[in-house]
Amino acid sequence: MIRALLTIDDVSSKNTPDIVDYLNEKKIPVIMFMVGQWAENYPEQLIYALQHGVIVGNHSYTHPEFSKLSFEECRNEIEKNEDVLNRFYDRAGVERVYRPFRFPYGDKGGGNKEKIQEYLREKKFDKVDDTGIPYPWWKEKGLDKDIDTLWTFDFAEYNIRPDSGFTLADVMKRIHEPNPGDGAPLLIDGSSHILLLHAHDETEEMQPGYYKIFIEELLKNGVEFTAPAFIRQ
Ligand SMILES: [Zn+2]
């Protein structure tokens, strides 16, 4: 069996409601991670996601590289985005039960890493349940101890851009790659993944329905999408 929790970053976008509708139709649960500054451009789309059952987590207010910021700046990025996200939950009329966090680019803050983890713990962010992740490197790198939500497989579909030379075929190759350079192979029996996809309108423009193409491929290969679960502190 191959199990996978789907996560979608950088909401909201124009395309977010279509993604939500598709996932609901397929009964595929998801955690979406919001960048406040971008969600303020697409407020109705963010509210749509919340009102259609999506758990939305904090992905910072402006999507900076945390290792280039001071600890204070990191904290401000997270706190400001918490305020924005709380207000969206209020406007949507949805109770905010879970508060996961993901760093932009998976950048855990360089020299401030421990301090930020301590902060996330103190502020009672919810750790996504990663106890089923079977890869030794997950524990060797101490990722099982961290509060933030990293991933084990990145579709890298955001690289599909004009003139990038990276195409849909490259993503399909990654999906079937038995020895990826980073993360873990996706389609190996016994796998348990946290999958990373993005809600970029630019990708939708380049490759309409891109997320459907990848998800259909996973379903065809026996991937079972799991509901988000959390380890409460
Ligand atoms: Zn992001």
Side-chain angles (χ1 to χ4, degrees):
M1 199 198 314
I2 305 163
R3 296 161 65 85
L5 168 65
L6 180 64
T7 66
I8 300 185
D9 283 12
D10 302 350
V11 296
S12 43
S13 59
K14 208 165 58 192
N15 197 33
T16 299
D18 284 347
I19 300 176
V20 170
D21 285 347
Y22 170 76
L23 295 175
N24 278 341
E25 181 197 310
K26 292 278 176 186
K27 296 191 169 32
I28 295 174
V30 64
I31 302 176
M32 290 183 163
F33 286 94
M34 181 195 83
V35 177
Q37 187 175 257
W38 300 343
E40 284 169 349
N41 291 328
Y42 296 103
E44 298 310 321
Q45 288 81 346
L46 201 276
I47 289 167
Y48 187 92
L50 292 172
Q51 290 180 338
H52 288 78
V54 175
I55 295 173
V56 178
N58 185 331
H59 192 39
S60 84
Y61 184 69
T62 69
H63 207 274
E65 292 170 66
F66 272 51
S67 58
K68 293 188 175 163
L69 304 182
S70 69
F71 173 69
E72 297 301 307
E73 288 169 326
C74 293
R75 201 182 55 190
N76 289 342
E77 277 287 336
I78 299 170
E79 273 177 11
K80 181 159 187 194
N81 207 43
E82 276 296 285
D83 289 345
V84 174
L85 191 46
N86 282 333
R87 281 202 298 276
F88 272 122
Y89 265 94
D90 281 349
R91 278 174 68 182
V94 174
E95 187 195 354
R96 192 172 177 208
V97 181
Y98 298 111
R99 296 170 51 246
F101 173 78
R102 172 172 280 158
F103 289 102
Y105 316 103
D107 175 347
K108 289 176 185 255
N112 288 315
K113 179 185 180 270
E114 281 316 314
K115 236 173 143 180
I116 300 171
Q117 289 295 332
E118 205 177 293
Y119 167 81
L120 294 171
R121 214 167 283 129
E122 192 182 294
K123 293 290 174 186
K124 302 241 175 278
F125 278 88
D126 289 307
K127 180 175 172 59
V128 169
D129 186 356
D130 61 352
T131 49
I133 293 177
Y135 321 112
W137 54 266
W138 188 262
K139 283 187 180 160
E140 282 160 15
K141 291 182 178 175
L143 298 170
D144 58 324
K145 304 278 188 307
D146 291 348
I147 302 297
D148 65 288
T149 313
L150 202 66
W151 55 85
T152 61
F153 181 86
D154 177 3
F155 288 91
E157 87 295 345
Y158 45 85
N159 290 309
I160 303 175
R161 287 189 302 263
D163 306 320
S164 71
F166 192 94
T167 66
L168 184 74
D170 293 299
V171 179
M172 294 309 238
K173 213 167 106 192
R174 280 180 78 87
I175 290 174
H176 290 277
E177 173 60 66
N179 294 301
D182 53 357
L186 178 51
L187 299 177
I188 301 285
D189 195 36
S191 294
S192 182
H193 282 282
I194 298 176
L195 306 177
L196 170 61
L197 199 60
H198 298 75
H200 294 172
D201 289 330
E202 296 79 2
T203 310
E204 179 65 22
E205 223 165 90
M206 290 287 294
Q207 188 64 62
Y210 65 95
Y211 53 93
K212 298 182 193 174
I213 299 169
F214 307 147
I215 287 169
E216 299 292 341
E217 185 68 13
L218 266 52
L219 288 171
K220 212 170 70 192
N221 283 279
V223 172
E224 212 174 274
F225 288 92
T226 55
F230 298 88
I231 301 170
R232 278 265 150 103
Q233 303 173 54

